[in-house]
Amino acid sequence: KLEYGRYGDEGVLVVARQCFDLQQLWVSNNRLGREGVISSGNNLIKLKVINLNNNEDIMSSTNFTGRLPCLKRLFACTIEFIQMGPD
């Protein structure tokens, strides 16, 4: 797990190149961007679970998951607060 850190695209690239048999990748609350997300999808094709929650600039990049044949669970959201109006 690389959660709650300062890992960015470079850190995920290193993991993707060294751990190509990785089945779970948890990188929530980091500085992961588009390049890191796409490289994960290109190199870590055995991923079954990936958690990309609360990373900058990832939502437009999650379409790479369609290329992951073993993927069972995808966590990709941001924390945004919605202010509700009066009823």
Side-chain angles (χ1 to χ4, degrees), residues 2 6-17 25 27 32 36:
L2 301 175
R6 296 180 184 214
Y7 297 97
D9 294 334
E10 302 83 19
V12 171
L13 285 168
V14 169
V15 169
R17 290 181 184 141
L25 180 64
V27 288
L32 190 62

Side-chain angles (χ1 to χ4, degrees), residues 14 21 23-24 29 35 37 49 55 58 61 66 77-78 80 86:
V14 169
D21 285 334
Q23 294 185 10
Q24 292 190 22
N29 299 296
E35 184 179 350
V37 172
V49 177
N55 281 282
I58 59 144
S61 308
C77 70
T78 59
E80 293 183 14

